[in-house]
């Protein structure tokens, strides 16, 4: 398969590329690195890079910024960070990407454990991840041509534990390589409209 991975240079992205790259042709895309450059928050940028790449069998997004902070001190501008970046950025990939996929192709997005297990200072993250889970369930019902869409909802990964561990007391992190298996299941399997949890 010909697969484009947005966010390929990140912690999850690298694990996904390593896993899927064993059997598929991977194209890495990022804001500042990769085979191509694109900004998911700008749908014109997404369409431009997909125009360059041509027809694909799968699209994957492992990217998205969020705001962490106390609800009392969070400003509307800070809350918009997650809405504009992780949520609408990945929605943009579906809106644009569906038109560049071969029949039967798939799109895999990324949410996270906090959609089901909120954490302190994570109201933005919980809102965004829960919205992504809901979007995928609804979008799957409307995609034509046998296209599929799923979202991987990982626990905090071992490789990011040093930075994010304090937000997740009592939680056992998972290796990024284990999370990458869920992306493989989404791409190579038959599921659609699923939240693939890796906890």
């Amino acid at each position: 398969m010909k697969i484009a991975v947005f966010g390929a240079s990140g912690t999850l992205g690298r694990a996904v590329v390593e896993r899927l790259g064993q059997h598929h042709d991977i194209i890495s895309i990022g804001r500042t690195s990769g085979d191509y450059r694109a900004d998911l928050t700008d749908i014109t940028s997404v369409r431009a890079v997909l125009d360059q790449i041509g027809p694909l069998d799968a699209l994957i997004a492992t990217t998205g910024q969020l705001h962490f902070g106390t609800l009392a001190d969070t400003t509307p501008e800070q809350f918009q960070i997650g809405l504009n970046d992780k949520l609408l950025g990945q929605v943009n990939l579906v809106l644009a990407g569906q038109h560049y996929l071969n029949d039967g192709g798939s799109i895999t997005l990324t949410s996270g454990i906090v959609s089901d297990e909120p954490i302190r200072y994570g109201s933005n993250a919980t809102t965004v991840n829960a919205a992504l889970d809901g979007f995928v369930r609804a979008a799957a019902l409307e995609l034509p041509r046998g296209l599929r869409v799923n979202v991987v909802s990982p626990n905090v990964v071992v490789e990011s534990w040093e930075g994010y561990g304090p937000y997740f007391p009592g939680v056992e992190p998972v290796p990024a390589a284990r999370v990458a298996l869920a992306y493989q299941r989404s791409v190579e399997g038959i599921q659609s409209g699923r939240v693939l949890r890796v906890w």
Side-chain angles (χ1 to χ4, degrees):
M1 294 184 191
K2 184 179 178 184
I3 304 171
V5 179
F6 287 75
S9 64
T11 301
L12 276 182
R14 289 193 303 271
V16 169
V17 168
E18 182 176 351
R19 183 74 193 177
L20 292 176
Q22 299 175 31
H23 305 289
H24 304 289
D25 178 18
I26 305 296
I27 300 164
S28 62
I29 304 168
R31 280 183 176 149
T32 59
S33 64
D35 300 320
Y36 293 87
R37 307 285 190 276
D39 179 357
L40 281 180
T41 66
D42 179 1
I43 198 165
T44 302
S45 172
V46 176
R47 289 180 178 133
V49 75
L50 293 176
D51 279 337
Q52 294 178 63
I53 295 170
L56 292 159
D57 297 299
L59 289 161
I60 296 172
T62 60
T63 183
Q65 295 182 17
L66 295 164
H67 170 71
F68 290 91
T70 63
L71 185 64
D73 295 326
T74 296
T75 65
E77 292 77 17
Q78 288 172 323
F79 206 86
Q80 283 291 333
I81 292 171
L83 299 179
N84 291 332
D85 198 294
K86 186 169 184 179
L87 175 56
L88 293 181
Q90 293 190 75
V91 169
N92 281 342
L93 183 61
V94 176
L95 296 179
Q98 63 183 315
H99 304 294
Y100 294 86
L101 286 172
N102 295 320
D103 290 357
S106 71
I107 304 172
T108 307
L109 308 182
T110 302
S111 62
I113 186 174
V114 296
S115 59
D116 293 285
E117 297 290 341
I119 59 173
R120 184 179 286 114
Y121 308 137
S123 60
N124 185 242
T126 294
T127 300
V128 168
N129 289 332
L132 284 165
D133 292 351
F135 170 72
V136 161
R137 288 195 298 268
L141 302 175
E142 295 190 49
L143 288 175
R145 301 185 291 109
L147 300 179
R148 299 179 299 107
V149 61
N150 296 295
V151 58
V152 174
S153 177
N155 194 352
V156 61
V157 296
V158 171
E159 293 83 349
S160 300
W161 185 250
E162 185 175 346
Y164 290 101
Y167 292 107
F168 295 89
V171 171
E172 182 178 358
V174 298
R178 184 175 151 216
V179 178
L181 293 171
Y183 292 88
Q184 180 181 12
R185 179 156 51 115
S186 177
V187 170
E188 297 177 2
I190 62 172
Q191 298 93 345
S192 190
R194 292 282 304 280
V195 180
L196 304 175
R197 295 178 174 86
V198 186
W199 299 354

